[in-house]
Amino acid sequence: MIAFPLLGAFILLVFNRLTDRWGHLLGVAMSLASFVVAVLAFFELIGLGEAERRRAVHLYEFIPNLDINMGLLIDPLSISFALLITGVGSLIHIYSIGYMAHDEHRRRFFAYLNLFVAAMLLLVLADNYVGLFIGWEGVGLASYLLIGFWQFKPSAAVAAKKAFVVNRVGDLGLLVGMFVIFTTYQTLSFAELKPIEVENGTTLAIGLLLLLGACGKSAQLPLQSWLLDAMEGPTPVSALIHAATMVTAGVYLVVRSGAYFFPEGSGAALAVAIVGAATLLAGAIIGCAKDDIKKGLAGSTMSQIGYMMLGAGLGPAGYAFAIGHLITHGFFKADLFLGAGSVMHGMNDEVNMRKYGGLRKYMPLTFWTFFIGYLAIIGFPLLSGYFTKDGIIETAIEHNQVLGWLAVLGAGITGFYMSRMVFMTFFGQKRWAEDAHPHESPTVMTVPLIVLSIGAIFLGGYLVLSNRLLLFLAPAVGRPEELPTFHFVSVPGITTLALVAVGAGYAWVRYAQAEVPVVQPRGSFVTTFARRDLYGDALNESLLMRPGQWLTRIAVFFDNRGVDGLVNGLAAGIGGSSGRLRRIQTGFARTYALSIFIGAALLTGALLLVGTI
């Protein structure tokens, strides 16, 4: 699975322009080959008994003295991620053939896509934290390359650097957490993870450090600021990073490390749930005020990953719903991002929804696939999001009423901002620029949209009903004492649907029935708050960047005046003294003989004086 896309990236990067004509086809073929291997591994795994669904593949000894080996692990959790990464990733590769058709560096783009898929697969297939961390950093590198792919745009270059720097903060948490795990338990292998007792706060510290790492990769508060800027990359990058791969890595880390989050008495799991609930609301609020279609979807990604983190913070009872929502989100969010790219493709790369309107007549396939993804994400009954997100909400209410009802509120806001996006783009009056000529995208772009929309319709029900996903994942993540039952009719479910309907209705009145101004109105304080990403960048600048600048200036001053001053002063003192002392060196032997004679006389006189005393 890992070797195919890694080989594709190697060939495309090493042979460079020689692969320009067929490089994109090689990239797609390698991703599809990896998907085929994942499917074969999946069917082999389900053919085994439940107790045997854990296959380790030893590669080599990595650090022999510390008993750290490199190996891969195929179990229900890792194969679920592998199928999502390679399946949805391959559809995004195919879509990219059309989307990047006129880019002169298309071959390099597919090389980076292959590299990204290979790194993500290593992350989820590694059998220990060291392998996971190598894949973790590989994903960070590939995301930097992809977000900044159009590096001629200053905004893209800055966004890539921002994503890289913010993720290093989270990576530090993961790395220190690994140090503490190894120091405390003398292992970094997942196979040796077992229920752990709380030991002087060590387990809590490990959980919080791992959570910090998860927040960086999954754009959860307080490390969310990079996500919206990452929209500067090509749209397929947004679909790959923000739907099926990188942003889900944090959820994988929390679920895989459950032993460090759920010992009795530890508060790490509660911290995960709180972060998830806070982020799902923050992302939803941000999505309400964005006119850039991709940034609106980025806010939505923050919010939906927040739901997954909330579910992951509930233990085995919420794991299945969290992973189920992660899988279905991979389909309907990739559908939405690629649908947005299709709209941009037909609108001269315009991203401002205020300059859209009425596009459903001109882009029918894009509209219907986008509309299906929209229905799935808002939790329309019987579509994928309805089963997985409502499952998280009901489980959360059973465990923590406050967090559960905050998730219900988030669902209502989701109904508004996603309806706003659909109505501003596909309904209402035309607000296009004069040179815009909207048209449907080519088949190579619309076929992946159709496949993803089919998954957005049926996948959620298949995974959740009869607890199929929960029972499949149980050998890897455990199972709750009592199997949950999905309730088609419940107070939380009815309340959620009612709030979604209210949000959608309000959006219809504001953005479908009323005229949408082409120029963004000033808006209230709350609107400005959301447009500026809840002042996350301003907060980072005030609390971190500016104090960091002053710290840097103080360090530079100390280095220049203190360290360099001491060294330079010592050198100057020696140089000056040497310059004065060298004047006594005349070069005449008679002078030196006289100096020796005088010195000997003084020494003799001193000895005689001491002798008389």
Side-chain angles (χ1 to χ4, degrees):
M1 275 185 272
I2 299 170
F4 278 121
L6 192 60
L7 177 62
F10 176 81
I11 293 173
L12 293 174
L13 291 174
V14 170
F15 292 96
N16 209 338
R17 294 191 176 278
L18 295 176
T19 65
D20 276 349
R21 291 189 176 182
W22 45 268
H24 56 288
L25 299 178
L26 176 68
V28 172
M30 290 301 183
S31 182
L32 286 171
S34 185
F35 175 63
V36 170
V37 176
V39 171
L40 294 175
F42 169 73
F43 280 108
E44 183 177 351
L45 195 67
I46 61 176
L48 302 173
E50 183 174 315
E52 299 175 340
R53 290 179 181 174
R54 187 184 185 93
R55 285 288 183 265
V57 182
H58 175 75
L59 299 178
Y60 58 89
E61 285 187 327
F62 187 51
I63 309 178
N65 293 335
L66 297 180
D67 194 27
I68 295 176
N69 301 318
M70 285 297 293
L72 305 178
L73 175 65
I74 299 290
D75 69 357
L77 181 61
S78 64
I79 198 64
S80 298
F81 274 81
L83 286 170
L84 177 67
I85 293 163
T86 56
V88 175
S90 294
L91 292 173
I92 294 171
H93 275 70
I94 294 170
Y95 176 96
S96 300
I97 294 176
Y99 191 87
M100 302 294 289
H102 303 293
D103 194 295
E104 60 178 333
H105 300 295
R106 179 168 65 168
R107 174 262 320 154
R108 181 160 54 88
F109 180 76
F110 276 86
Y112 294 163
L113 287 183
N114 272 196
L115 180 63
F116 192 101
V117 170
M120 190 67 196
L121 285 171
L122 175 60
L123 191 159
V124 300
L125 292 174
D127 69 350
N128 61 70
Y129 283 104
V130 176
L132 179 147
F133 188 76
I134 295 172
W136 193 273
E137 293 305 299
V139 168
L141 170 63
S143 66
Y144 170 79
L145 296 172
L146 285 167
I147 294 169
F149 182 76
W150 286 327
Q151 53 195 261
F152 57 86
K153 296 168 56 179
S155 56
V158 171
K161 288 188 290 185
K162 184 176 182 180
F164 195 82
V165 171
V166 173
N167 272 276
R168 297 293 72 75
V169 179
D171 294 355
L172 178 63
L174 173 58
L175 193 60
V176 175
M178 289 166 54
F179 293 159
V180 179
I181 291 171
F182 187 79
T183 302
T184 307
Y185 303 107
Q186 288 74 53
T187 183
L188 287 171
S189 173
F190 297 145
E192 299 179 39
L193 282 180
K194 298 174 182 177
I196 298 169
E197 298 297 328
V198 179
E199 298 179 5
N200 301 323
T202 302
T203 309
L204 174 61
I206 292 172
L208 294 180
L209 287 166
L210 295 180
L211 174 59
L212 180 62
C215 287
K217 275 291 182 284
S218 293
Q220 300 293 282
L221 295 173
L223 300 179
Q224 83 292 348
S225 61
W226 65 271
L227 187 70
L228 276 79
D229 295 78
M231 296 300 104
E232 291 293 336
T235 301
V237 174
S238 304
L240 186 65
I241 293 178
H242 304 126
T245 54
M246 180 169 161
V247 293
T248 63
V251 181
Y252 172 80
L253 178 65
V254 171
V255 174
R256 177 64 80 187
S257 307
Y260 298 116
F261 287 95
F262 289 98
E264 186 177 352
S266 173
L270 179 60
V272 173
I274 291 173
V275 166
T279 308
L280 74 87
L281 285 175
I285 292 170
I286 289 172
C288 291
K290 293 297 181 182
D291 292 333
D292 184 319
I293 189 170
K294 289 174 65 178
K295 290 192 175 183
L297 289 172
S300 169
T301 297
M302 269 181 62
S303 182
Q304 298 305 308
I305 300 294
Y307 276 101
M308 299 171 208
M309 294 293 282
L310 173 60
L314 303 176
Y319 282 165
F321 290 118
I323 300 300
H325 195 55
L326 186 151
I327 294 171
T328 58
H329 176 264
F331 278 82
F332 59 68
K333 183 52 64 66
D335 178 24
L336 291 169
F337 265 119
L338 297 185
S342 181
V343 172
M344 292 166 57
H345 182 269
M347 292 292 289
N348 296 333
D349 290 327
E350 178 61 64
V351 296
N352 189 348
M353 293 185 292
R354 294 186 180 277
K355 297 181 180 180
Y356 292 164
L359 291 179
R360 70 184 187 279
K361 297 178 182 178
Y362 301 87
M363 311 176 72
L365 264 176
T366 298
F367 164 68
W368 282 111
T369 53
F370 194 97
F371 194 72
I372 290 171
Y374 152 73
L375 293 178
I377 197 172
I378 67 172
F380 191 82
L382 304 184
L383 270 70
S384 288
Y386 169 73
F387 291 99
T388 55
K389 188 163 68 174
D390 279 27
I392 292 173
I393 291 173
E394 288 194 23
T395 306
I397 289 177
E398 291 176 6
H399 285 74
N400 189 306
Q401 290 276 333
V402 174
L403 298 181
W405 287 106
L406 287 177
V408 172
L409 176 61
I413 301 174
T414 303
F416 170 74
Y417 73 75
M418 285 305 304
S419 300
R420 173 182 181 269
M421 185 178 298
V422 169
F423 298 150
M424 288 181 73
T425 302
F426 296 104
F427 290 81
Q429 300 298 316
K430 305 173 184 177
R431 303 181 298 275
W432 318 329
E434 293 182 2
D435 60 343
H437 302 286
H439 57 277
E440 189 58 270
S441 298
T443 304
V444 74
M445 294 173 64
T446 55
V447 168
L449 292 176
I450 294 171
V451 176
L452 290 168
S453 63
I454 292 172
I457 296 173
F458 299 108
L459 195 56
Y462 178 79
L463 295 176
V464 171
L465 297 180
S466 302
N467 287 310
R468 288 187 181 91
L469 183 62
L470 185 149
L471 296 175
F472 176 68
L473 292 175
V477 301
R479 59 192 296 175
E481 296 180 359
E482 183 178 346
L483 293 179
T485 302
F486 184 85
H487 301 99
F488 286 92
V489 179
S490 65
V491 173
I494 293 173
T495 306
T496 300
L497 283 177
L499 287 178
V500 168
V502 170
Y506 181 61
W508 173 263
V509 173
R510 286 284 307 274
Y511 300 102
Q513 294 295 311
E515 183 178 351
V516 177
V518 177
V519 179
Q520 186 185 71
R522 182 175 179 180
S524 65
F525 166 75
V526 177
T527 304
T528 304
F529 187 58
R531 285 174 183 167
R532 297 188 179 180
D533 305 340
L534 311 186
Y535 292 102
D537 287 339
L539 189 64
N540 287 338
E541 183 173 345
S542 301
L543 296 181
L544 301 174
M545 192 273 283
R546 294 196 181 280
Q549 281 184 328
W550 281 107
L551 182 63
T552 303
R553 289 169 183 165
I554 293 171
V556 170
F557 179 83
F558 177 75
D559 184 56
N560 290 339
R561 302 296 178 87
V563 178
D564 287 355
L566 177 63
V567 174
N568 294 336
L570 181 61
I574 294 175
S577 301
S578 301
R580 290 174 176 82
L581 288 173
R582 73 182 180 182
R583 294 175 182 174
I584 67 175
Q585 303 293 325
T586 63
F588 295 109
R590 60 181 180 271
T591 304
Y592 300 152
L594 179 61
S595 299
I596 295 173
F597 177 76
I598 294 172
L602 291 173
L603 180 61
T604 302
L607 290 174
L608 291 173
L609 179 63
V610 171
T612 58
I613 295 174

